[in-house]
Amino acid sequence: MKAIEIRKKYLEFFKEHGHRVIPSAPLIPENDPSVLFTTAGMQPLVPYLLGEKHPEGTRLTDYQKCLRTNDIEEVGDNRHLTYFEMLGNWSLGDYFKEESIQMSFDFLTKELQIPAEKLSVTVFAGDEDCPRDEVAANCWKKAGILDGHIYYYGKDDNWWIAGETGPCGSDTEIFYDTGKPACSDNCQPSCDCGKYVEIWNNVFMEYFKDENGKYTKLAQQNVDTGLGLERMAMLLQGKETPFDIELFKPVMDKLKELQKIDIIESRRIIAEHLRASIMVICDGGKPSNVDRGYVLRRLIRRTVRHMNKLQIDLNEIGTLVDLYVETLKEMYPDLEKNSNMIKETIIEEKNKFVKTLAHGEKEFQKAMNNAKNQGKNEIDGETLFKLYDTYGFPPEVTKELAEENAMKVDMEKFKELFKAHQEKSRQGSEQKFKGGLAGNSEIETKYHTATHLLNAALKVVLGPDTHQRGSNITTERMRFDFNCDHKMTDEEKKQAEDLVNQWIKEDLPVTVQEMTKEEALNSGAECMFIEKYPDIVKVYSIGEVSKELCGGPHVGHTGEIGTFKIKKEEASSAGIRRIKAVIL
Ligand code: SER
């Protein structure tokens, strides 16, 4: 079934079940500077989830254009997309678990004809904030989910909130069994092996989480659901990746025709980023050096870079835009109206980037002459990175140029610097989504390392079973949640603070090693949520005092941190304490 048919069926089904079809909000949120882009169908509906009356009533459905850039560097693999369409249905204080679950089950099994045995669901396991969701589990059984196909997970998996605060609640997620072999005896929806793919998320939004992490009941019980359209189309069409469905296929094929070098990841990146850029520009986005504009700029530049990589004539970018407008106009009629503007914006940005690349070439000549004057026959990693970062010069291009001049490049060092940069920008975009902060500043990096030290110090002071339960960093302070059955005494607080400061004084080196998850756990590294990490993880060590799975970034030596001061120690939730601390 084509994506557009799935969308039609979905809206039709919910219309028949008393929902009003509302239009997709623009990708660029109106009157909401706190987020860069619309990332979920519920986002434009927040006031109504909080109790304001919606003019269309209490049952709504729509398709929503969404952009999520947290994982932009992952695009190119077989599943990540930045732009996607989310189908959603909402109850604003109207139906709750039973009806929501029954409708989801019926839509999947009757309208999309998915056999029940291919479906598994997860429900909330319960904790001190919200009880175990036996209600949802029973509704699933009644609807027809098979025995043994219901799993219970905690907040990490079955709780939904957009960012740090706001309306939220437990959710029930529906998974599709692709039929791939189980990865282990314990293979289940939460594992990442690809057997189970999440297709739909029904959030039972009945709480509000405030800045202190406290949950209060909302005035009404809502349902917020989201179904990823491209993914559903991929599964129903039996395809391996979203790039094989009709929304991407014409452009993917065209790229194959145009390319002189065959790299599948680059074709996917071009196809994905170009579609996302087109959608953002259609909704009023303009490339620039800040915020939304910068995201768009990066999307277009990465498109151009990968066209270069495949040695595709850059003038073909207009052809690709035309092809996309043609492919997608039935789904998004605005594309056709705005096609000239979209094409011009992309071509202009491409031209700017081509000029930047020309500057980079000059810079390369300089770097090469410098190296030669120093009697070296290698371009160092820092220069490679600068050429990449400032001049948008892909390292492969630098390498080729270097080779033409009988020079080598320090690709290893480049990769190291690139990884550090990637982590910083990932953290940056996650922070931005959470609280409108850039997140990769020097001070936040210091706080990040201080967090590891505090984690280690608390184990010394309160016992080895003390573990991190959460953390949050801004440019002003750090917050650290951990398990502890009592209010810390002044003495204990002082001991922990002194210990952290002692380690800072000792100027301990911070080192990083990559290893498999299993090796990391066997090495005794500290880890908060093992299932959240990829198969290969990074383990940061601070001298002999701390070893932790973490994405980074961190300072090189603890001496860079400054003076650590605990400002407050308070209850966070049952059995969990919270420390707020600053660096002076
Ligand atoms: N808000 C939830 C999500 O984004 C359900 O729509 O998954």
Side-chain angles (χ1 to χ4, degrees):
M1 200 180 302
K2 282 189 184 171
I4 194 161
E5 286 158 25
I6 300 172
R7 185 211 267 173
K8 264 189 208 144
K9 266 190 194 292
Y10 186 96
L11 298 179
E12 201 48 48
F13 177 85
F14 283 98
K15 214 163 115 184
E16 274 164 20
H17 288 79
H19 292 65
R20 294 294 293 254
V21 182
I22 56 170
S24 172
L27 265 180
I28 297 177
E30 288 160 328
N31 310 321
D32 189 355
S34 71
V35 281
L36 292 181
F37 295 100
T38 302
T39 56
M42 57 75 72
Q43 211 171 291
L45 293 171
V46 170
Y48 311 103
L49 293 162
L50 295 178
E52 205 174 294
K53 234 169 110 63
H54 194 285
E56 299 277 347
T58 55
R59 290 178 176 225
L60 309 174
T61 185
D62 76 2
Y63 73 83
Q64 176 61 52
K65 300 177 273 186
C66 298
L67 190 81
R68 293 185 181 176
T69 54
N70 290 7
D71 289 329
I72 187 167
E73 310 280 354
E74 305 286 337
V75 174
D77 66 3
N78 59 5
R79 61 193 174 103
H80 279 93
L81 299 177
T82 60
Y83 173 83
F84 66 100
E85 186 174 309
M86 188 187 281
L87 301 176
N89 60 280
W90 288 272
S91 153
L92 303 171
D94 192 309
Y95 56 86
F96 205 44
K97 296 178 185 178
E98 183 166 5
E99 207 174 331
S100 166
I101 286 172
Q102 188 67 50
M103 285 189 290
S104 291
F105 186 82
D106 288 347
F107 179 70
L108 294 171
T109 55
K110 295 188 183 139
E111 297 296 318
L112 300 185
Q113 310 246 315
I114 298 175
E117 59 267 25
K118 282 200 145 301
L119 300 174
S120 290
V121 299
T122 67
V123 298
F124 186 52
D127 65 9
E128 62 276 4
D129 299 317
C130 176
R132 185 176 176 87
D133 205 350
E134 295 297 3
V135 176
N138 285 330
C139 294
W140 280 121
K141 280 181 209 153
K142 205 176 125 209
I145 283 286
L146 304 188
D147 274 353
H149 285 223
I150 302 179
Y151 297 81
Y152 292 81
Y153 296 133
K155 270 219 177 70
D156 303 343
D157 292 292
N158 281 89
W159 192 267
W160 203 90
I161 183 164
E164 289 283 284
T165 60
C168 57
S170 65
D171 64 16
T172 180
E173 296 183 2
I174 310 169
F175 288 77
Y176 179 92
D177 182 348
T178 57
K180 290 187 182 146
C183 63
S184 72
D185 289 347
N186 195 26
C187 184
Q188 42 179 292
S190 64
C191 92
D192 229 8
C193 69
K195 178 174 175 60
Y196 296 98
V197 180
E198 185 203 332
I199 50 174
W200 204 344
N201 181 11
N202 296 21
V203 186
F204 305 121
M205 221 163 234
E206 50 178 334
Y207 294 94
F208 187 88
K209 186 181 177 196
D210 68 19
E211 274 140 30
N212 300 317
K214 233 184 93 155
Y215 295 93
T216 42
K217 280 257 182 176
L218 289 173
Q220 65 193 33
Q221 289 181 318
N222 308 294
V223 178
D224 151 39
T225 91
L227 180 155
L229 180 62
E230 290 82 353
R231 192 180 281 179
M232 183 59 99
M234 167 187 100
L235 293 168
L236 291 180
Q237 293 173 26
K239 305 285 190 204
E240 278 285 308
T241 85
F243 299 101
D244 300 315
I245 68 170
E246 73 287 353
L247 303 181
F248 292 102
K249 187 96 183 15
V251 168
M252 288 295 282
D253 288 347
K254 185 76 190 169
L255 289 170
K256 223 172 180 171
E257 191 186 307
L258 295 171
Q259 70 183 17
K260 300 208 176 57
I261 293 180
D262 180 26
I263 309 169
I264 175 91
E265 289 80 13
S266 291
R267 283 202 302 281
R268 289 175 184 160
I269 292 171
I270 297 166
E272 202 290 325
H273 287 4
L274 195 59
R275 185 177 78 134
S277 304
I278 289 171
M279 297 306 297
V280 172
I281 297 169
C282 188
D283 277 359
K286 291 268 172 272
S288 78
N289 269 338
V290 287
D291 292 344
R292 291 170 185 144
Y294 186 62
V295 173
L296 177 58
R297 171 156 285 170
R298 264 176 82 197
L299 288 167
I300 300 175
R301 292 194 166 191
R302 273 170 64 93
T303 307
V304 173
R305 275 198 1 241
H306 286 273
M307 285 178 73
N308 273 340
K309 229 173 144 172
L310 302 185
Q311 295 186 5
I312 295 175
D313 180 352
L314 294 182
N315 290 319
E316 296 287 359
I317 204 164
T319 319
L320 295 172
V321 174
D322 287 342
L323 187 53
Y324 255 139
V325 171
E326 204 44 46
T327 310
L328 301 174
K329 69 180 187 198
E330 201 188 341
M331 288 190 81
Y332 308 108
D334 278 358
L335 285 181
E336 204 169 21
K337 273 191 276 173
N338 294 317
S339 62
N340 284 340
M341 182 273 286
I342 295 169
K343 198 155 103 177
E344 276 162 25
T345 308
I346 289 180
I347 290 177
E348 200 182 304
E349 182 62 17
K350 182 264 294 174
N351 289 342
K352 268 194 198 150
F353 187 46
V354 169
K355 275 196 199 129
T356 309
L357 284 171
H359 284 296
E361 230 157 299
K362 274 197 203 125
E363 207 46 42
F364 168 78
Q365 285 299 338
K366 258 198 244 162
M368 193 175 63
N369 293 341
N370 275 346
K372 278 190 177 157
N373 288 343
Q374 291 170 22
K376 290 186 195 150
N377 71 341
E378 188 179 70
I379 308 269
D380 60 62
E382 279 80 10
T383 307
L384 266 181
F385 186 73
K386 186 174 167 212
L387 279 166
Y388 164 75
D389 196 34
T390 315
Y391 297 97
F393 224 59
E396 307 80 37
V397 175
T398 311
K399 184 166 175 256
E400 266 174 40
L401 284 173
E403 280 166 0
E404 281 167 21
N405 292 279
M407 303 267 295
K408 292 191 294 193
V409 292
D410 188 351
M411 210 47 122
E412 284 309 304
K413 180 76 191 172
F414 171 83
K415 279 186 191 151
E416 213 177 276
L417 294 167
F418 177 75
K419 268 203 175 145
H421 166 81
Q422 208 178 10
E423 272 154 19
K424 278 193 182 178
S425 59
R426 181 205 302 274
Q427 288 201 334
S429 55
E430 276 167 9
Q431 273 313 113
K432 187 101 209 173
F433 181 56
K434 281 184 197 145
L437 275 166
N440 52 4
S441 66
E442 214 179 291
I443 180 78
E444 285 160 281
T445 306
K446 289 179 183 172
Y447 273 124
H448 209 153
T449 311
T451 301
H452 286 214
L453 289 179
L454 178 60
N455 196 0
L458 290 173
K459 278 189 224 315
V460 177
V461 177
L462 300 172
D465 288 328
T466 314
H467 296 285
Q468 172 171 346
R469 287 286 185 264
S471 98
N472 177 274
I473 289 169
T474 72
T475 49
E476 326 288 342
R477 56 111 184 102
M478 58 179 271
R479 215 172 66 194
F480 186 83
D481 291 355
F482 55 97
N483 59 308
C484 176
D485 59 9
H486 64 275
K487 181 172 174 56
M488 280 176 82
T489 62
D490 289 346
E491 175 76 45
E492 285 171 332
K493 277 188 274 184
K494 183 156 182 339
Q495 275 177 4
E497 188 179 282
D498 287 350
L499 209 45
V500 172
N501 282 317
Q502 183 195 318
W503 290 331
I504 290 177
K505 267 216 192 88
E506 283 167 14
D507 201 19
L508 303 168
V510 182
T511 52
V512 58
Q513 262 182 302
E514 277 195 23
M515 52 184 92
T516 64
K517 248 202 286 214
E518 215 187 339
E519 285 170 327
L521 288 184
N522 290 341
S523 80
E526 175 84 2
C527 162
M528 196 164 66
F529 305 119
I530 189 71
E531 62 280 4
K532 289 265 162 193
Y533 286 89
D535 294 332
I536 301 291
V537 296
K538 286 195 161 169
V539 174
Y540 277 89
S541 301
I542 309 180
E544 302 285 332
V545 306
S546 150
K547 198 170 201 188
E548 234 184 281
L549 261 84
C550 178
H554 286 282
V555 299
H557 282 86
T558 54
E560 289 164 55
I561 295 174
T563 306
F564 175 79
K565 187 143 189 52
I566 294 181
K567 286 296 233 190
K568 209 173 183 181
E569 192 275 342
E570 60 188 349
S572 166
S573 53
I576 308 290
R577 307 289 302 175
R578 167 170 292 178
I579 282 180
K580 286 190 181 146
V582 293
I583 290 169
L584 303 171

